[in-house]
Amino acid sequence: MNIKKYLQLLLCFISLNSVAQSQQEPTLNIGAPAPPLRVGEWLKGAPIQQMEKGHIYVVEFWATWCGPCIAAMPHLSQLAAKYKDKVTIIGVDIYEKESTSINKIKAFVDSMGSRMDYHVATDDSSHMVEEWIVAFGEKDKGIPRTFVVNTDGQMAWIGHPNDLDSVLQKIVNNEWDINESEKKRSEKEYLKKLQMETIDLLNQLKDNPNSTLLAVDSLIKKEPRLKHFPFIPFYIFSALLKTDQMKAYDYGKLMLTYKIDNQAHYPFTIIKTIEYQDETLSLLPEIYALGADAYEKYMHADNAKISNLSKCYNDMANWYWLANNKSKAIETQQKSIEVLKTRKNFAATDLEALEFQLQKYEGKDTKR
């Protein structure tokens, strides 16, 4: 794809997505009057016909199958007790499976007892879903989902119940800036749409690494905040592996210095990208060395999810070997064996395979 055609694709993509996004815009936002309560049946607490001015309402959307919803219920009950004279909490059951009858929902609510100590109702033919969840653009975020209506009847906040404490306290104390809340939410939604549009475009260009790099550069110049989106380095690193592996190596080393909350993200990205490209590209020793460094970072990250530590050491040792670092390959393979031996009832064949690799790295005769 030449530069002219690429730029035409980029401009066309942005224009088409801008039209599509404008057609899918939520109809309501923070600050709008809260939609009416249109419930099917009240399961707990006195029925609430309508939300009254001068009072605060928390509308919590949940389902019997939703683990995070159930986990949030005791805390919502505590908040209901804490603010009982100023705040009414309403749990609205939505998204239930067709096989879940109203009697099953009632039985669930009864079984929760004091852990679900607030008003509970079911949706009325998806009216609450359409007029609350969909209208405010929250459908793709799943449940639990919490809406807070202030004393003026305005939607003051939307989010996860885990984040409700400080928000509700400020709203109760009349310290909540609804305009700032709307501004932050709109900005968050803009960045989310931008992220999805960018991923869609870069996926279209994934088979043309030069166009990918050009697209990333153009998009970041247009919106500098894209540079800090966690997925951008993946596309850059993947494209560089196909165009200039030494530049990929330098960029990968830079990725490992990036500071984000998920410390395992960039190391894991590098590992999986190298694994994938190893199937089609002839990789330089430096790339395997980078991969081994990424493994080191990944295994020491607080939020790494490692199901088989022995395998990680084994894979890392192989990359050290391919990076021409014999001593590190031997040292790491020995760790793989040590970790395997700490597992109960490990397979003898697994140990044999690891020891065979160690003998290879040590230069011993591995003929069988």
Side-chain angles (χ1 to χ4, degrees), residues 44 69-71 73-74 107-117:
K44 191 169 187 176
C69 300
I70 297 170
M73 289 171 182
F108 171 86
V109 173
D110 290 342
S111 71
M112 289 299 293
S114 61
R115 291 174 295 165
M116 197 179 191
D117 199 8

Side-chain angles (χ1 to χ4, degrees), residues 119-166:
H119 294 73
V120 183
T122 61
D123 194 0
D124 178 16
S125 301
S126 296
H127 283 299
M128 293 294 286
V129 169
E130 294 299 325
E131 296 172 11
W132 290 65
I133 299 285
V134 175
F136 283 93
E138 297 290 313
K139 188 174 183 179
D140 64 335
K141 297 173 185 175
I143 51 177
R145 212 74 199 142
T146 306
F147 293 69
V148 181
V149 180
N150 67 12
T151 54
D152 293 323
Q154 296 173 293
M155 193 62 66
W157 180 81
I158 303 171
H160 193 282
N162 288 349
D163 303 320
L164 182 59
D165 290 58
S166 60

Side-chain angles (χ1 to χ4, degrees), residues 20-59:
Q21 291 294 343
S22 65
Q23 293 174 344
Q24 299 169 13
E25 285 290 326
T27 57
L28 298 174
N29 202 349
I30 298 297
L37 290 173
R38 299 179 66 181
V39 304
E41 184 174 347
W42 287 99
L43 306 180
K44 191 169 187 176
I48 299 172
Q49 302 303 327
Q50 62 182 14
M51 291 181 287
E52 304 288 346
K53 293 285 186 71
H55 196 72
I56 298 168
Y57 295 86
V58 174
V59 180

Side-chain angles (χ1 to χ4, degrees), residues 7 34 100 130 140 164 225 245 265 283 330 348 353 357 367:
L7 290 175
T100 305
E130 294 299 325
D140 64 335
L164 182 59
R225 285 175 293 183
Q245 290 189 27
H265 177 79
L283 300 178
I330 293 172
Q357 283 297 107
K367 293 181 180 179

Side-chain angles (χ1 to χ4, degrees), residues 83-98:
Y83 298 112
K84 63 180 180 178
D85 296 326
K86 299 179 179 179
V87 179
T88 295
I89 296 180
I90 305 167
V92 180
D93 176 64
I94 61 173
Y95 297 149
E96 284 293 352
K97 301 174 183 177
E98 291 184 6

